[in-house]
């Protein structure tokens, strides 16, 4: 897995050959070890170049091997042998040098990169640290502060930034390999010791302790319970405070604590799940491998509210020409100004020029006649959306795709009003649409494989993680959110406060708890939906008692809060008080506590002590239970799809892998037992009734997550 050639007479060229990314599998490590030894021993060879086949230097250690017993030569001594050798070694970096790949390059004495290459140490995103010397060599090369930044965030840098930071020695627009071979000949005879990073001191600012403390505080805040970023700071601290060998020892010790942790397993699962959800399939036999997307060059967005603006920005940022449509000139002008401002702000952050030239605005639907794909993003109202789809169906060219950004309405009902139901799909973006990585692509019962493939492909162009889901109320994400929100409200009735519930969920790892999230989204959004559903307002069945609706327990608390004019962050008052309307600083509100006390008295509820464990179990197990139902109904194709929806769309902490992975980690029998316990305590809450799939899995000995599909009642039935 490493090819050996002698080029230009004296240069040994070692090529890593493990497609697609030349990961450092046991065979590759063996190949490198053997070829480097051969080159060091061969008196004709004066220098070496290491490169990767097919335009990729190396994607790092082979992540699939982490779950297996280790075999083959370890990375640390392999890299040490390269550095310690007395012949100069040059890394020719094309494509990517990530993780162990960059660590290998840091063991070389020189690094030449192609201008399109990217480098980085992303191990932290896999729940690990760069434990092949990366935490010790990188700080010695580029200094403490930039190394802390790269290692604790795992961010990738371009070749240009790598050159500025001093990670690479030269960048070329031509062949990095040709330049590296030339370079390798030129440096023969030059002193090698200064090029061996392990012999250097880490460049540090005067107040090392201050920098490390400040970084640790920031990292802890960002980590939301993840261990790896903290271990990364500790390892880099060693590079600044200990001799190299002691630092390496520290790096290994810290890695040993992470390597077999559940967090590392969860994050590595996420790595593969993110890629797996791109490989979709339908019960018809169509799949991502046999369904081609149609090229899309002209896109239109209908409606320039919050979602429409975000979608427009996302499309323009991906280099696509967009026609943005509003109903009247005033709304169009507001939308235009806001979209332009968003694009300028974004470009400023990236030191780039905003592509305002790609934007076109109109109030005339006839201008859509040449558009390839239209994304409707009007108000969440079925009658309005139907009217828009009818009009689109008559003005757009016959083969244009019609997509809806509904967050949960029936895609089939919309498709039915058009003359081309096979070209209708859901594209459910998440707010803010230009930032959030998730896209639920909703397959209606008549959507064609080509329409699905085109929407999935467009999502990829926008840099989204696109997940194909079936058509049902709320699709996957919002359907599962319903029981979660419901449990949170019940907990308030029973004695909790918004801060207690949010505190428990934030401690679990969510960026914000359910009540802060509701305040951010606007409490009136759900209020309007509940009114339309006849759960509150004038359409409530007069025979329903105050805390029961449609035959089951109902909490009117969120409705009552809205009736008090508390709409969330937007008007400065919701479940919390805010510093100002639109403000983000939430403080607990004594008047909410008083309101809850009065409510309990009015309804004869004796408040009880609720602990954080109950909050987590009731909210999350109810959500997970609905996840099992979505799987069994065929609305979600597999547990990975649900997990990626929650990690990328709902802030589920990545180090807990997603709700379904988490259920597996907790243990399916325990999830089942606790659901049964809560169902017994709350017989009027059907969402707590354990799903048949969960019962079947437990009865079958709780198989691992990658076997769950074998137990589905209707695999892919809705997809
Ligand atoms: C008692 C305890 C003892 C503890 C001791 C432990 C010792 C052992 C540890 C040794 C020290 C290790 C230190 C180093 C660690 C690492 O290097 S971890 C890996 C770090 N690298 C990464 O995170 C990079 C991951 N890859 C990417 O970012 C991208 O793949 C890419 C390289 C940028 C290419 O992108 P793209 O072209 O878009 O292709 P993809 O679709 O992403 O990938 C193509 C397929 O390749 C698979 N793949 C990619 N990288 C890896 C990898 N590193 N290992 C295995 N497989 C990889 C990817 O999954 C794709 O395949 P499919 O999933 O089948 O589609």
């Amino acid at each position: 897995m490493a090819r050996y050639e002698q080029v230009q007479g004296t240069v040994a060229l070692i090529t890593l050959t493990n497609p697609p990314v030349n990961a450092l599998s046991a065979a590759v490590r063996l190949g490198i070890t053997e070829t480097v030894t051969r080159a060091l021993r061969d008196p004709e060879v004066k220098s070496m170049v290491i490169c990767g086949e097919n335009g990729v230097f190396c994607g790092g250690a082979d992540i699939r091997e982490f779950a297996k017993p280790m075999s083959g030569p370890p990375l640390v001594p392999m890299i040490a042998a390269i550095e310690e050798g007395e012949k100069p070694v040059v890394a020719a970096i094309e494509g990517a040098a990530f993780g162990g790949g960059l660590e290998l390059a840091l063991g070389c004495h020189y690094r030449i990169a192609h201008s399109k290459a990217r480098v980085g140490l992303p191990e932290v995103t896999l729940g690990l640290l760069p434990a092949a010397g990366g935490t010790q060599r990188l700080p010695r090369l580029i200094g403490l502060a930039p190394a802390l930044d790269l290692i604790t965030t795992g961010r990738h840098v371009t070749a240009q930034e790598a050159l500025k930071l001093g990670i690479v020695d030269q960048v070329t627009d031509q062949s990095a390999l040709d330049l590296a071979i030339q370079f390798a000949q030129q440096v023969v005879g030059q002193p090698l010791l200064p090029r061996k990073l392990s012999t250097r001191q880490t460049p540090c600012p005067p107040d090392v302790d201050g920098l490390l403390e400040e970084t640790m505080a920031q990292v802890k805040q960002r980590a939301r319970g993840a261990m790896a970023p903290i271990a990364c700071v500790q390892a880099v601290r060693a590079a600044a405070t200990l001799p190299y060998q002691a630092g390496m020892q520290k790096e290994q010790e810290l890695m040993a604590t992470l390597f077999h942790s559940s967090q590392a397993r969860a994050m590595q699962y996420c790595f593969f799940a993110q890629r797996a959800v791109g490989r979709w399939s339908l019960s018809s036999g169509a799949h991502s491998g046999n369904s081609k997307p149609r090229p899309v060059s002209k896109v239109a967005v209908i409606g320039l509210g919050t979602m429409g603006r975000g979608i427009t920005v996302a499309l323009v940022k991906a280099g696509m020409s967009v026609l943005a449509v509003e109903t009247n000139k005033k709304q169009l002008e507001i939308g235009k100004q806001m979209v332009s401002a968003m694009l300028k702000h974004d470009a400023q952050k990236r030191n780039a020029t905003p592509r305002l030239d790609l934007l076109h605005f109109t109030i005339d639907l006839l201008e859509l006649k040449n558009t390839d794909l239209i994304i409707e993003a009007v108000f969440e109202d079925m009658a309005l959306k139907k009217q828009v789809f009818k009009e689109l169906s008559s003005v757009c060219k016959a083969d244009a795709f019609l997509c809806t950004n509904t967050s949960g309405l029936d895609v089939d009902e919309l498709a039915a009003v058009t003359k081309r139901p096979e070209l209708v799909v859901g594209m459910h973006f998440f707010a803010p649409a230009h930032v959030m990585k998730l896209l639920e692509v909703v397959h209606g019962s008549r959507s064609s494989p080509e329409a699905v493939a085109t929407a999935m492909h467009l999502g990829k162009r926008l840099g989204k993680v696109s997940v194909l889901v079936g058509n049902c109320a709320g699709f996957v994400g919002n359907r599962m959110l319903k029981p979660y929100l419901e449990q949170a409200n019940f907990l308030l009735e029973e004695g909790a406060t918004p801060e207690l519930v949010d505190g428990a969920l934030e401690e679990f790892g969510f960026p914000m708890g359910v009540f802060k999230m509701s305040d951010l989204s606007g409490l009136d959004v759900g209020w309007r939906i509940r009114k339309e559903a006849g759960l509150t307002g004038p359409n409530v069945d007069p025979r329903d008692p105050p805390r029961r609706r449609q035959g089951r327990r109902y909490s009117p608390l969120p409705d009552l809060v809205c009736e008090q004019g508390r709409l969330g962050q937007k008007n400065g008052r919701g479940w919390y008080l805010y510093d100002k309307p639109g403000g983000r600083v939430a403080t607990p509100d004594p008047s909410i506590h008083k309101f809850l006390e009065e409510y309990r008295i009015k309804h004869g509820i004796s408040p009880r002590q609720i602990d954080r464990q109950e909050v987590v179990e009731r909210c999350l197990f109810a959500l997970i239970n609905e996840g099992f139902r979505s799987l069994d109904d065929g609305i979600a194709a597999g547990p990975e799809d649900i997990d990626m929806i929650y990690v990328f769309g709902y802030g589920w902490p990545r180090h807990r892998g997603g709700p379904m992975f988490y259920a597996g980690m907790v243990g399916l029998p325990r999830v089942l037992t606790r659901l049964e316990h809560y169902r017994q305590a709350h017989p009027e809450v059907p969402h707590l009734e354990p799903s048949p799939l969960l019962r079947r899995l437990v009865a079958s000995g709780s198989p691992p997550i990658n076997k769950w599909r074998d137990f589905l009642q209707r695999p892919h039935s809705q997809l």
Side-chain angles (χ1 to χ4, degrees), residues 20-21 59 61-64 70 98 100 122-123 271-272 275 279:
V21 302
D62 186 338
I63 305 165
R64 287 189 198 277
M70 279 309 225
F98 289 151
E123 285 87 340
F271 176 84
F272 291 112
R275 283 151 181 84
R279 292 187 285 268

Side-chain angles (χ1 to χ4, degrees), residues 20-21 23 56 59-64 66 70 75 96 98-101 103 122-123 125-126 128-132 156 252 255-256 259-260 271-272 275-276 279:
V21 302
V56 181
D62 186 338
I63 305 165
R64 287 189 198 277
F66 291 165
M70 279 309 225
L75 271 179
F98 289 151
E103 292 177 292
E123 285 87 340
T125 65
L126 298 167
L128 303 173
L129 52 77
H156 303 164
Q252 293 305 303
M255 180 65 156
F259 195 69
H260 294 298
F271 176 84
F272 291 112
R275 283 151 181 84
R279 292 187 285 268

Side-chain angles (χ1 to χ4, degrees), residues 584-598:
R584 294 191 173 190
V585 184
T587 44
D589 187 350
S591 69
I592 281 284
H593 299 163
K594 188 158 170 277
F595 156 70
L596 290 172
E597 279 160 23
E598 288 169 358

Side-chain angles (χ1 to χ4, degrees), residues 6-88:
Q6 207 164 315
V7 293
Q8 303 288 323
T10 60
V11 180
L13 174 60
I14 296 170
T15 308
L16 315 189
T17 56
N18 185 17
V21 302
N22 299 319
L24 295 163
S25 63
V28 173
R29 298 196 305 275
L30 182 65
I32 296 174
T33 307
E34 287 176 350
T35 48
V36 168
T37 308
R38 178 173 165 190
L40 285 172
R41 285 195 186 138
D42 186 340
E44 269 185 25
V45 170
K46 303 291 177 219
S47 59
M48 286 175 243
V49 169
I50 301 182
C51 68
E53 201 169 50
N54 291 336
V56 181
F57 181 72
C58 174
D62 186 338
I63 305 165
R64 287 189 198 277
E65 281 187 356
F66 291 165
K68 301 177 193 159
M70 279 309 225
S71 64
L75 271 179
V76 170
M78 181 195 92
I79 295 173
I82 293 170
E83 190 189 77
E84 285 162 14
E86 285 313 312
K87 294 181 182 175

